[in-house]
């Protein structure tokens, strides 16, 4: 009977350290972790975990939405694990058992998590639409990072020098010089 922990964050910039520490302190002997959005079903470490875990083993996650943010996928996954007699512990919820009440609690909480995610997306899209309508200078995506006019200097230098010599002069790759030139053309 092995106790497994699973940690997941949605973006590369987020840290797994807090989840891993919490899982370790909760008794997890083996912890698998990855950085994948909850909206994707491609999670190699979770697939590895599902193949490793055996009946009467325990799976610990810090929150229910670490399984997935899609209610249907999470419910199917939890049902499959419970049928295999896997013990599921969600640290901010408790042990999920294979009873009508346990399944109802899981369904309710997953539905709330999915609704919350959908509302975040809706608010983001609404904000973008408002900005497009009311701000003529609005551009989609992140603003380009400028390093004290360095891109302009690289461009100006490249007008009278080769890409290779420009790259060497500014300590950047030739590809960066080509990228900057292409950005200023449009």
């Amino acid at each position: 009977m092995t106790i497994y922990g699973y940690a997941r964050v949605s973006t590369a910039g987020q840290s797994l350290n807090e989840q891993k520490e919490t899982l370790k302190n909760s008794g997890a002997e083996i912890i698998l972790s990855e950085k994948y959005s909850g909206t994707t079903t491609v999670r190699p470490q979770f697939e590895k975990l599902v193949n490793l875990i055996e009946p009467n083993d325990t799976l610990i996650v810090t929150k229910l939405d670490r399984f997935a943010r899609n209610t249907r996928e999470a419910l199917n996954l939890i049902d499959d694990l419970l049928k295999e007699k896997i013990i599921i512990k969600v640290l901010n919820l408790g042990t999920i058992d294979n009873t009508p009440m346990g399944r109802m609690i899981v369904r309710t909480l997953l539905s709330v998590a999915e609704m919350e995610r959908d509302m975040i997306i809706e608010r983001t899209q609404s904000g973008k639409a408002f900005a497009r309508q009311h701000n003529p200078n609005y551009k989609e995506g992140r603003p380009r990072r400028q390093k004290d006019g360095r891109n302009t200097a690289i461009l100006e230098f490249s007008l009278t020098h080769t890409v290779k010599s420009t790259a060497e002069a500014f300590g950047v790759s030739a590809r960066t010089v080509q990228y900057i030139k292409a950005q200023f053309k449009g």
Side-chain angles (χ1 to χ4, degrees):
M1 296 189 336
T2 306
I3 302 173
Y4 292 92
Y6 176 70
R8 180 183 61 78
V9 292
S10 299
T11 62
Q14 294 175 315
S15 173
L16 289 159
N17 295 339
E18 183 179 347
Q19 283 184 56
K20 287 180 176 179
E21 188 67 27
T22 301
L23 292 168
K24 183 179 175 185
N25 291 339
S26 299
E29 302 162 354
I30 299 170
I31 299 172
L32 285 89
S33 62
E34 57 199 341
K35 296 183 179 190
Y36 275 95
S37 170
T39 60
T40 183
T41 57
V42 178
R43 294 176 303 190
Q45 290 300 307
F46 192 79
E47 293 300 320
K48 181 179 177 181
L49 174 64
V50 169
N51 291 324
L52 284 173
I53 204 160
E54 297 179 354
N56 299 314
D57 284 349
T58 300
L59 171 58
I60 303 174
V61 293
T62 56
K63 298 180 197 171
L64 193 56
D65 68 353
R66 296 302 88 192
F67 279 113
R69 288 196 180 154
N70 176 299
T71 304
R72 184 178 319 274
E73 178 198 353
L75 288 173
N76 290 338
L77 183 59
I78 290 169
D79 284 344
D80 290 346
L81 291 170
L82 291 174
K83 285 177 189 171
E84 293 294 320
K85 301 196 183 328
I86 306 299
I87 300 162
I88 303 170
K89 290 188 179 181
V90 182
L91 296 180
N92 69 343
L93 177 65
T95 301
I96 297 175
D97 54 7
N98 199 6
T99 64
M101 183 61 79
R103 289 189 301 273
M104 191 235 8
I105 289 170
V106 168
R107 284 185 181 98
T108 302
L109 292 172
L110 284 170
S111 294
V112 170
E114 186 174 358
M115 181 190 73
E116 180 181 333
R117 185 184 152 275
D118 291 345
M119 287 175 63
I120 289 169
I121 291 169
E122 186 178 300
R123 284 192 302 267
T124 301
Q125 295 304 321
S126 177
K128 286 179 180 180
F130 182 85
R132 276 195 289 298
Q133 188 176 15
H134 294 88
N135 182 353
N137 297 323
Y138 175 75
K139 294 182 181 177
E140 290 284 334
R142 292 183 180 180
R144 295 225 180 266
R145 194 169 107 204
Q146 295 291 325
K147 290 185 178 180
D148 305 314
R150 188 170 183 209
N151 288 357
T152 305
I154 290 172
L155 176 67
E156 289 174 3
F157 192 87
S158 71
L159 296 175
T160 56
H161 295 80
T162 66
V163 170
K164 183 178 178 183
S165 63
T166 303
E168 289 172 359
F170 286 89
V172 296
S173 70
R175 189 176 184 123
T176 298
V177 174
Q178 292 168 333
Y179 175 80
I180 291 168
K181 289 176 78 169
Q183 292 300 305
F184 281 93
K185 281 182 185 175

